[in-house]
Amino acid sequence: MPLVLTTSAAACALLAGCGTTPAPDAKAAPHSSAPSSARPQPSGSGSPAVRPVPSSLAGRTIVIDPGHNPGNFRHTKEINQKVDIGTNRKECDTTGTATADDYTEAAFTLDVSHRLRDLLEAQGATVVLTHDADRPYGPCIDERARIGNGRKADAVVSVHADGSAAGNRGFHVILPAPVRSGAADTAPIVAPSRTLGERIATHFARATGTSPANYIGSGTGLDVRDDLGGLNLSTVPKVFLECGNMRDPKDAALLTNAAWRQKAAHGIAEGIGTYLKG
């Protein structure tokens, strides 16, 4: 998969030159300074007419993990500090990617997470955000996992947008691989996480009208990874969702559209709801 810049790339300014694919919890924007604030499409601030998430989620705890933090740009030293993810050590966090017009991944993930929270809470779920831009940076990827674990969440979804090459389009859901090393043991969550991911992929595609990624996952919309601290250290069902590719102009036009982001939130909520209802 083509690569984007990371905050940890002191010796390698372009990850594409490194020959490795960055983890979604290790992406960085293509600019070294903090880009401008969120730029939602001016004509789309309202929610589309979509049916509500069916059934009640009362008694369920769902953790939403908005990828990155708008403050990360001002704290590159702190987020470059490495933490233990079981299999190895990895950067605390990264800045995330951005569109060509500097609509940041951190702004996108917060917006979708807020919309998703509202939909789930309307169905009676207890919803916890790992952060709400209410801290200077982070949290680190190991802490993000601990938040879901500590709440004994029924499901955790980490919301992201990818930073691949132009022409690479579509969404994909990242699932935990079997990992048992150090503090990491994903054996109990591999199967339920896959079910959660499959449900989200189905409903996300239906709600947004977008297709699974054409550059990863062989058209399934699913990708299994063993190098993400947020998954390796989780003890509850968890997936990452890359909602689209911010570096592709056509995907970027969707991601910056408020009405589309509401559809995205609705698709995620439906996927979680159908998973929790069995």
mmCIF file with all atom_site columns, all heavy atoms in Angstrom, residues 55-77:
data_model
loop_
_atom_site.group_PDB
_atom_site.id
_atom_site.type_symbol
_atom_site.label_atom_id
_atom_site.label_alt_id
_atom_site.label_comp_id
_atom_site.label_asym_id
_atom_site.label_entity_id
_atom_site.label_seq_id
_atom_site.pdbx_PDB_ins_code
_atom_site.Cartn_x
_atom_site.Cartn_y
_atom_site.Cartn_z
_atom_site.occupancy
_atom_site.B_iso_or_equiv
_atom_site.pdbx_formal_charge
_atom_site.auth_seq_id
_atom_site.auth_comp_id
_atom_site.auth_asym_id
_atom_site.auth_atom_id
_atom_site.pdbx_PDB_model_num
ATOM 1   N N   . SER A 1 55 ? -33.635 -1.137 17.123 1.00 0.00 ? 55 SER A N   1
ATOM 2   C CA  . SER A 1 55 ? -33.543 -1.840 18.396 1.00 0.00 ? 55 SER A CA  1
ATOM 3   C C   . SER A 1 55 ? -32.795 -1.029 19.443 1.00 0.00 ? 55 SER A C   1
ATOM 4   O O   . SER A 1 55 ? -32.234 0.030  19.177 1.00 0.00 ? 55 SER A O   1
ATOM 5   C CB  . SER A 1 55 ? -32.866 -3.201 18.216 1.00 0.00 ? 55 SER A CB  1
ATOM 6   O OG  . SER A 1 55 ? -32.958 -3.952 19.414 1.00 0.00 ? 55 SER A OG  1
ATOM 7   N N   . SER A 1 56 ? -32.820 -1.505 20.664 1.00 0.00 ? 56 SER A N   1
ATOM 8   C CA  . SER A 1 56 ? -32.205 -0.795 21.777 1.00 0.00 ? 56 SER A CA  1
ATOM 9   C C   . SER A 1 56 ? -30.826 -1.353 22.092 1.00 0.00 ? 56 SER A C   1
ATOM 10  O O   . SER A 1 56 ? -30.581 -2.548 21.996 1.00 0.00 ? 56 SER A O   1
ATOM 11  C CB  . SER A 1 56 ? -33.087 -0.929 23.024 1.00 0.00 ? 56 SER A CB  1
ATOM 12  O OG  . SER A 1 56 ? -32.436 -0.401 24.149 1.00 0.00 ? 56 SER A OG  1
ATOM 13  N N   . LEU A 1 57 ? -29.919 -0.448 22.465 1.00 0.00 ? 57 LEU A N   1
ATOM 14  C CA  . LEU A 1 57 ? -28.577 -0.843 22.890 1.00 0.00 ? 57 LEU A CA  1
ATOM 15  C C   . LEU A 1 57 ? -28.389 -0.569 24.377 1.00 0.00 ? 57 LEU A C   1
ATOM 16  O O   . LEU A 1 57 ? -27.256 -0.455 24.848 1.00 0.00 ? 57 LEU A O   1
ATOM 17  C CB  . LEU A 1 57 ? -27.531 -0.096 22.064 1.00 0.00 ? 57 LEU A CB  1
ATOM 18  C CG  . LEU A 1 57 ? -27.528 -0.400 20.567 1.00 0.00 ? 57 LEU A CG  1
ATOM 19  C CD1 . LEU A 1 57 ? -26.499 0.471  19.848 1.00 0.00 ? 57 LEU A CD1 1
ATOM 20  C CD2 . LEU A 1 57 ? -27.245 -1.872 20.296 1.00 0.00 ? 57 LEU A CD2 1
ATOM 21  N N   . ALA A 1 58 ? -29.478 -0.467 25.099 1.00 0.00 ? 58 ALA A N   1
ATOM 22  C CA  . ALA A 1 58 ? -29.406 -0.215 26.533 1.00 0.00 ? 58 ALA A CA  1
ATOM 23  C C   . ALA A 1 58 ? -28.586 -1.302 27.212 1.00 0.00 ? 58 ALA A C   1
ATOM 24  O O   . ALA A 1 58 ? -28.712 -2.492 26.905 1.00 0.00 ? 58 ALA A O   1
ATOM 25  C CB  . ALA A 1 58 ? -30.804 -0.152 27.139 1.00 0.00 ? 58 ALA A CB  1
ATOM 26  N N   . GLY A 1 59 ? -27.719 -0.895 28.130 1.00 0.00 ? 59 GLY A N   1
ATOM 27  C CA  . GLY A 1 59 ? -26.885 -1.835 28.860 1.00 0.00 ? 59 GLY A CA  1
ATOM 28  C C   . GLY A 1 59 ? -25.590 -2.183 28.157 1.00 0.00 ? 59 GLY A C   1
ATOM 29  O O   . GLY A 1 59 ? -24.766 -2.910 28.722 1.00 0.00 ? 59 GLY A O   1
ATOM 30  N N   . ARG A 1 60 ? -25.388 -1.679 26.971 1.00 0.00 ? 60 ARG A N   1
ATOM 31  C CA  . ARG A 1 60 ? -24.167 -1.943 26.216 1.00 0.00 ? 60 ARG A CA  1
ATOM 32  C C   . ARG A 1 60 ? -23.201 -0.764 26.344 1.00 0.00 ? 60 ARG A C   1
ATOM 33  O O   . ARG A 1 60 ? -23.608 0.396  26.347 1.00 0.00 ? 60 ARG A O   1
ATOM 34  C CB  . ARG A 1 60 ? -24.496 -2.136 24.735 1.00 0.00 ? 60 ARG A CB  1
ATOM 35  C CG  . ARG A 1 60 ? -25.429 -3.314 24.475 1.00 0.00 ? 60 ARG A CG  1
ATOM 36  C CD  . ARG A 1 60 ? -24.742 -4.634 24.740 1.00 0.00 ? 60 ARG A CD  1
ATOM 37  N NE  . ARG A 1 60 ? -25.459 -5.753 24.152 1.00 0.00 ? 60 ARG A NE  1
ATOM 38  C CZ  . ARG A 1 60 ? -24.949 -6.955 23.958 1.00 0.00 ? 60 ARG A CZ  1
ATOM 39  N NH1 . ARG A 1 60 ? -23.695 -7.190 24.309 1.00 0.00 ? 60 ARG A NH1 1
ATOM 40  N NH2 . ARG A 1 60 ? -25.671 -7.923 23.429 1.00 0.00 ? 60 ARG A NH2 1
ATOM 41  N N   . THR A 1 61 ? -21.921 -1.091 26.427 1.00 0.00 ? 61 THR A N   1
ATOM 42  C CA  . THR A 1 61 ? -20.884 -0.061 26.481 1.00 0.00 ? 61 THR A CA  1
ATOM 43  C C   . THR A 1 61 ? -20.063 -0.131 25.205 1.00 0.00 ? 61 THR A C   1
ATOM 44  O O   . THR A 1 61 ? -19.527 -1.179 24.846 1.00 0.00 ? 61 THR A O   1
ATOM 45  C CB  . THR A 1 61 ? -19.970 -0.259 27.699 1.00 0.00 ? 61 THR A CB  1
ATOM 46  O OG1 . THR A 1 61 ? -20.739 -0.129 28.899 1.00 0.00 ? 61 THR A OG1 1
ATOM 47  C CG2 . THR A 1 61 ? -18.853 0.793  27.703 1.00 0.00 ? 61 THR A CG2 1
ATOM 48  N N   . ILE A 1 62 ? -19.992 0.993  24.519 1.00 0.00 ? 62 ILE A N   1
ATOM 49  C CA  . ILE A 1 62 ? -19.268 1.071  23.256 1.00 0.00 ? 62 ILE A CA  1
ATOM 50  C C   . ILE A 1 62 ? -18.216 2.164  23.377 1.00 0.00 ? 62 ILE A C   1
ATOM 51  O O   . ILE A 1 62 ? -18.516 3.282  23.797 1.00 0.00 ? 62 ILE A O   1
ATOM 52  C CB  . ILE A 1 62 ? -20.227 1.391  22.095 1.00 0.00 ? 62 ILE A CB  1
ATOM 53  C CG1 . ILE A 1 62 ? -21.297 0.297  21.992 1.00 0.00 ? 62 ILE A CG1 1
ATOM 54  C CG2 . ILE A 1 62 ? -19.458 1.535  20.791 1.00 0.00 ? 62 ILE A CG2 1
ATOM 55  C CD1 . ILE A 1 62 ? -22.496 0.681  21.168 1.00 0.00 ? 62 ILE A CD1 1
ATOM 56  N N   . VAL A 1 63 ? -16.984 1.848  23.037 1.00 0.00 ? 63 VAL A N   1
ATOM 57  C CA  . VAL A 1 63 ? -15.903 2.824  23.049 1.00 0.00 ? 63 VAL A CA  1
ATOM 58  C C   . VAL A 1 63 ? -15.592 3.233  21.619 1.00 0.00 ? 63 VAL A C   1
ATOM 59  O O   . VAL A 1 63 ? -15.380 2.385  20.752 1.00 0.00 ? 63 VAL A O   1
ATOM 60  C CB  . VAL A 1 63 ? -14.646 2.264  23.745 1.00 0.00 ? 63 VAL A CB  1
ATOM 61  C CG1 . VAL A 1 63 ? -13.463 3.225  23.564 1.00 0.00 ? 63 VAL A CG1 1
ATOM 62  C CG2 . VAL A 1 63 ? -14.916 2.051  25.230 1.00 0.00 ? 63 VAL A CG2 1
ATOM 63  N N   . ILE A 1 64 ? -15.602 4.536  21.387 1.00 0.00 ? 64 ILE A N   1
ATOM 64  C CA  . ILE A 1 64 ? -15.239 5.094  20.092 1.00 0.00 ? 64 ILE A CA  1
ATOM 65  C C   . ILE A 1 64 ? -13.872 5.747  20.248 1.00 0.00 ? 64 ILE A C   1
ATOM 66  O O   . ILE A 1 64 ? -13.651 6.554  21.152 1.00 0.00 ? 64 ILE A O   1
ATOM 67  C CB  . ILE A 1 64 ? -16.272 6.129  19.621 1.00 0.00 ? 64 ILE A CB  1
ATOM 68  C CG1 . ILE A 1 64 ? -17.668 5.507  19.576 1.00 0.00 ? 64 ILE A CG1 1
ATOM 69  C CG2 . ILE A 1 64 ? -15.886 6.682  18.248 1.00 0.00 ? 64 ILE A CG2 1
ATOM 70  C CD1 . ILE A 1 64 ? -18.771 6.528  19.345 1.00 0.00 ? 64 ILE A CD1 1
ATOM 71  N N   . ASP A 1 65 ? -12.980 5.393  19.347 1.00 0.00 ? 65 ASP A N   1
ATOM 72  C CA  . ASP A 1 65 ? -11.597 5.850  19.420 1.00 0.00 ? 65 ASP A CA  1
ATOM 73  C C   . ASP A 1 65 ? -11.288 6.747  18.217 1.00 0.00 ? 65 ASP A C   1
ATOM 74  O O   . ASP A 1 65 ? -10.905 6.254  17.153 1.00 0.00 ? 65 ASP A O   1
ATOM 75  C CB  . ASP A 1 65 ? -10.679 4.617  19.428 1.00 0.00 ? 65 ASP A CB  1
ATOM 76  C CG  . ASP A 1 65 ? -9.199  4.970  19.488 1.00 0.00 ? 65 ASP A CG  1
ATOM 77  O OD1 . ASP A 1 65 ? -8.870  6.053  20.002 1.00 0.00 ? 65 ASP A OD1 1
ATOM 78  O OD2 . ASP A 1 65 ? -8.383  4.156  19.021 1.00 0.00 ? 65 ASP A OD2 1
ATOM 79  N N   . PRO A 1 66 ? -11.468 8.070  18.359 1.00 0.00 ? 66 PRO A N   1
ATOM 80  C CA  . PRO A 1 66 ? -11.171 8.963  17.230 1.00 0.00 ? 66 PRO A CA  1
ATOM 81  C C   . PRO A 1 66 ? -9.671  8.989  16.955 1.00 0.00 ? 66 PRO A C   1
ATOM 82  O O   . PRO A 1 66 ? -8.868  9.382  17.799 1.00 0.00 ? 66 PRO A O   1
ATOM 83  C CB  . PRO A 1 66 ? -11.660 10.341 17.718 1.00 0.00 ? 66 PRO A CB  1
ATOM 84  C CG  . PRO A 1 66 ? -12.500 10.065 18.930 1.00 0.00 ? 66 PRO A CG  1
ATOM 85  C CD  . PRO A 1 66 ? -11.930 8.820  19.536 1.00 0.00 ? 66 PRO A CD  1
ATOM 86  N N   . GLY A 1 67 ? -9.284  8.577  15.761 1.00 0.00 ? 67 GLY A N   1
ATOM 87  C CA  . GLY A 1 67 ? -7.861  8.496  15.437 1.00 0.00 ? 67 GLY A CA  1
ATOM 88  C C   . GLY A 1 67 ? -7.167  9.841  15.538 1.00 0.00 ? 67 GLY A C   1
ATOM 89  O O   . GLY A 1 67 ? -7.668  10.843 15.052 1.00 0.00 ? 67 GLY A O   1
ATOM 90  N N   . HIS A 1 68 ? -6.007  9.844  16.233 1.00 0.00 ? 68 HIS A N   1
ATOM 91  C CA  . HIS A 1 68 ? -5.141  11.029 16.336 1.00 0.00 ? 68 HIS A CA  1
ATOM 92  C C   . HIS A 1 68 ? -5.795  12.118 17.195 1.00 0.00 ? 68 HIS A C   1
ATOM 93  O O   . HIS A 1 68 ? -6.822  11.887 17.830 1.00 0.00 ? 68 HIS A O   1
ATOM 94  C CB  . HIS A 1 68 ? -4.741  11.518 14.942 1.00 0.00 ? 68 HIS A CB  1
ATOM 95  C CG  . HIS A 1 68 ? -4.314  10.397 14.045 1.00 0.00 ? 68 HIS A CG  1
ATOM 96  N ND1 . HIS A 1 68 ? -3.123  9.734  14.226 1.00 0.00 ? 68 HIS A ND1 1
ATOM 97  C CD2 . HIS A 1 68 ? -4.951  9.794  13.007 1.00 0.00 ? 68 HIS A CD2 1
ATOM 98  C CE1 . HIS A 1 68 ? -3.024  8.767  13.307 1.00 0.00 ? 68 HIS A CE1 1
ATOM 99  N NE2 . HIS A 1 68 ? -4.126  8.777  12.570 1.00 0.00 ? 68 HIS A NE2 1
ATOM 100 N N   . ASN A 1 69 ? -5.184  13.270 17.240 1.00 0.00 ? 69 ASN A N   1
ATOM 101 C CA  . ASN A 1 69 ? -5.627  14.377 18.079 1.00 0.00 ? 69 ASN A CA  1
ATOM 102 C C   . ASN A 1 69 ? -5.180  15.664 17.392 1.00 0.00 ? 69 ASN A C   1
ATOM 103 O O   . ASN A 1 69 ? -4.019  15.745 16.951 1.00 0.00 ? 69 ASN A O   1
ATOM 104 C CB  . ASN A 1 69 ? -4.988  14.258 19.471 1.00 0.00 ? 69 ASN A CB  1
ATOM 105 C CG  . ASN A 1 69 ? -5.408  15.342 20.449 1.00 0.00 ? 69 ASN A CG  1
ATOM 106 O OD1 . ASN A 1 69 ? -5.619  16.500 20.081 1.00 0.00 ? 69 ASN A OD1 1
ATOM 107 N ND2 . ASN A 1 69 ? -5.507  14.986 21.718 1.00 0.00 ? 69 ASN A ND2 1
ATOM 108 N N   . PRO A 1 70 ? -6.043  16.669 17.262 1.00 0.00 ? 70 PRO A N   1
ATOM 109 C CA  . PRO A 1 70 ? -5.618  17.910 16.602 1.00 0.00 ? 70 PRO A CA  1
ATOM 110 C C   . PRO A 1 70 ? -4.379  18.539 17.228 1.00 0.00 ? 70 PRO A C   1
ATOM 111 O O   . PRO A 1 70 ? -3.602  19.215 16.545 1.00 0.00 ? 70 PRO A O   1
ATOM 112 C CB  . PRO A 1 70 ? -6.837  18.827 16.761 1.00 0.00 ? 70 PRO A CB  1
ATOM 113 C CG  . PRO A 1 70 ? -7.996  17.894 16.887 1.00 0.00 ? 70 PRO A CG  1
ATOM 114 C CD  . PRO A 1 70 ? -7.466  16.711 17.647 1.00 0.00 ? 70 PRO A CD  1
ATOM 115 N N   . GLY A 1 71 ? -4.153  18.301 18.525 1.00 0.00 ? 71 GLY A N   1
ATOM 116 C CA  . GLY A 1 71 ? -2.993  18.870 19.204 1.00 0.00 ? 71 GLY A CA  1
ATOM 117 C C   . GLY A 1 71 ? -1.684  18.160 18.933 1.00 0.00 ? 71 GLY A C   1
ATOM 118 O O   . GLY A 1 71 ? -0.618  18.665 19.301 1.00 0.00 ? 71 GLY A O   1
ATOM 119 N N   . ASN A 1 72 ? -1.749  16.995 18.272 1.00 0.00 ? 72 ASN A N   1
ATOM 120 C CA  . ASN A 1 72 ? -0.523  16.237 18.018 1.00 0.00 ? 72 ASN A CA  1
ATOM 121 C C   . ASN A 1 72 ? 0.500   17.034 17.219 1.00 0.00 ? 72 ASN A C   1
ATOM 122 O O   . ASN A 1 72 ? 1.712   16.853 17.377 1.00 0.00 ? 72 ASN A O   1
ATOM 123 C CB  . ASN A 1 72 ? -0.842  14.939 17.276 1.00 0.00 ? 72 ASN A CB  1
ATOM 124 C CG  . ASN A 1 72 ? -1.422  13.867 18.193 1.00 0.00 ? 72 ASN A CG  1
ATOM 125 O OD1 . ASN A 1 72 ? -1.585  14.073 19.384 1.00 0.00 ? 72 ASN A OD1 1
ATOM 126 N ND2 . ASN A 1 72 ? -1.749  12.728 17.614 1.00 0.00 ? 72 ASN A ND2 1
ATOM 127 N N   . PHE A 1 73 ? 0.032   17.920 16.337 1.00 0.00 ? 73 PHE A N   1
ATOM 128 C CA  . PHE A 1 73 ? 0.952   18.717 15.524 1.00 0.00 ? 73 PHE A CA  1
ATOM 129 C C   . PHE A 1 73 ? 1.873   19.581 16.373 1.00 0.00 ? 73 PHE A C   1
ATOM 130 O O   . PHE A 1 73 ? 2.981   19.899 15.962 1.00 0.00 ? 73 PHE A O   1
ATOM 131 C CB  . PHE A 1 73 ? 0.159   19.611 14.563 1.00 0.00 ? 73 PHE A CB  1
ATOM 132 C CG  . PHE A 1 73 ? -0.529  18.857 13.462 1.00 0.00 ? 73 PHE A CG  1
ATOM 133 C CD1 . PHE A 1 73 ? -1.861  18.492 13.576 1.00 0.00 ? 73 PHE A CD1 1
ATOM 134 C CD2 . PHE A 1 73 ? 0.156   18.513 12.309 1.00 0.00 ? 73 PHE A CD2 1
ATOM 135 C CE1 . PHE A 1 73 ? -2.502  17.800 12.557 1.00 0.00 ? 73 PHE A CE1 1
ATOM 136 C CE2 . PHE A 1 73 ? -0.481  17.822 11.283 1.00 0.00 ? 73 PHE A CE2 1
ATOM 137 C CZ  . PHE A 1 73 ? -1.812  17.464 11.409 1.00 0.00 ? 73 PHE A CZ  1
ATOM 138 N N   . ARG A 1 74 ? 1.397   19.965 17.545 1.00 0.00 ? 74 ARG A N   1
ATOM 139 C CA  . ARG A 1 74 ? 2.197   20.837 18.424 1.00 0.00 ? 74 ARG A CA  1
ATOM 140 C C   . ARG A 1 74 ? 3.013   20.038 19.430 1.00 0.00 ? 74 ARG A C   1
ATOM 141 O O   . ARG A 1 74 ? 3.711   20.635 20.262 1.00 0.00 ? 74 ARG A O   1
ATOM 142 C CB  . ARG A 1 74 ? 1.272   21.804 19.165 1.00 0.00 ? 74 ARG A CB  1
ATOM 143 C CG  . ARG A 1 74 ? 0.536   22.756 18.237 1.00 0.00 ? 74 ARG A CG  1
ATOM 144 C CD  . ARG A 1 74 ? -0.321  23.748 19.000 1.00 0.00 ? 74 ARG A CD  1
ATOM 145 N NE  . ARG A 1 74 ? -1.430  23.087 19.688 1.00 0.00 ? 74 ARG A NE  1
ATOM 146 C CZ  . ARG A 1 74 ? -2.601  22.818 19.121 1.00 0.00 ? 74 ARG A CZ  1
ATOM 147 N NH1 . ARG A 1 74 ? -2.808  23.111 17.849 1.00 0.00 ? 74 ARG A NH1 1
ATOM 148 N NH2 . ARG A 1 74 ? -3.572  22.248 19.815 1.00 0.00 ? 74 ARG A NH2 1
ATOM 149 N N   . HIS A 1 75 ? 2.923   18.723 19.386 1.00 0.00 ? 75 HIS A N   1
ATOM 150 C CA  . HIS A 1 75 ? 3.596   17.886 20.386 1.00 0.00 ? 75 HIS A CA  1
ATOM 151 C C   . HIS A 1 75 ? 4.275   16.698 19.708 1.00 0.00 ? 75 HIS A C   1
ATOM 152 O O   . HIS A 1 75 ? 4.140   15.553 20.156 1.00 0.00 ? 75 HIS A O   1
ATOM 153 C CB  . HIS A 1 75 ? 2.582   17.415 21.430 1.00 0.00 ? 75 HIS A CB  1
ATOM 154 C CG  . HIS A 1 75 ? 2.016   18.511 22.268 1.00 0.00 ? 75 HIS A CG  1
ATOM 155 N ND1 . HIS A 1 75 ? 2.647   18.992 23.391 1.00 0.00 ? 75 HIS A ND1 1
ATOM 156 C CD2 . HIS A 1 75 ? 0.887   19.249 22.104 1.00 0.00 ? 75 HIS A CD2 1
ATOM 157 C CE1 . HIS A 1 75 ? 1.919   19.972 23.918 1.00 0.00 ? 75 HIS A CE1 1
ATOM 158 N NE2 . HIS A 1 75 ? 0.854   20.152 23.153 1.00 0.00 ? 75 HIS A NE2 1
ATOM 159 N N   . THR A 1 76 ? 5.033   16.975 18.658 1.00 0.00 ? 76 THR A N   1
ATOM 160 C CA  . THR A 1 76 ? 5.665   15.883 17.931 1.00 0.00 ? 76 THR A CA  1
ATOM 161 C C   . THR A 1 76 ? 6.700   15.137 18.767 1.00 0.00 ? 76 THR A C   1
ATOM 162 O O   . THR A 1 76 ? 6.877   13.928 18.608 1.00 0.00 ? 76 THR A O   1
ATOM 163 C CB  . THR A 1 76 ? 6.306   16.402 16.632 1.00 0.00 ? 76 THR A CB  1
ATOM 164 O OG1 . THR A 1 76 ? 7.215   17.467 16.957 1.00 0.00 ? 76 THR A OG1 1
ATOM 165 C CG2 . THR A 1 76 ? 5.247   16.921 15.673 1.00 0.00 ? 76 THR A CG2 1
ATOM 166 N N   . LYS A 1 77 ? 7.389   15.849 19.657 1.00 0.00 ? 77 LYS A N   1
ATOM 167 C CA  . LYS A 1 77 ? 8.372   15.172 20.506 1.00 0.00 ? 77 LYS A CA  1
ATOM 168 C C   . LYS A 1 77 ? 7.690   14.146 21.403 1.00 0.00 ? 77 LYS A C   1
ATOM 169 O O   . LYS A 1 77 ? 8.169   13.004 21.541 1.00 0.00 ? 77 LYS A O   1
ATOM 170 C CB  . LYS A 1 77 ? 9.130   16.187 21.362 1.00 0.00 ? 77 LYS A CB  1
ATOM 171 C CG  . LYS A 1 77 ? 10.167  15.550 22.282 1.00 0.00 ? 77 LYS A CG  1
ATOM 172 C CD  . LYS A 1 77 ? 10.907  16.606 23.104 1.00 0.00 ? 77 LYS A CD  1
ATOM 173 C CE  . LYS A 1 77 ? 11.923  15.965 24.043 1.00 0.00 ? 77 LYS A CE  1
ATOM 174 N NZ  . LYS A 1 77 ? 12.643  16.996 24.845 1.00 0.00 ? 77 LYS A NZ  1
#
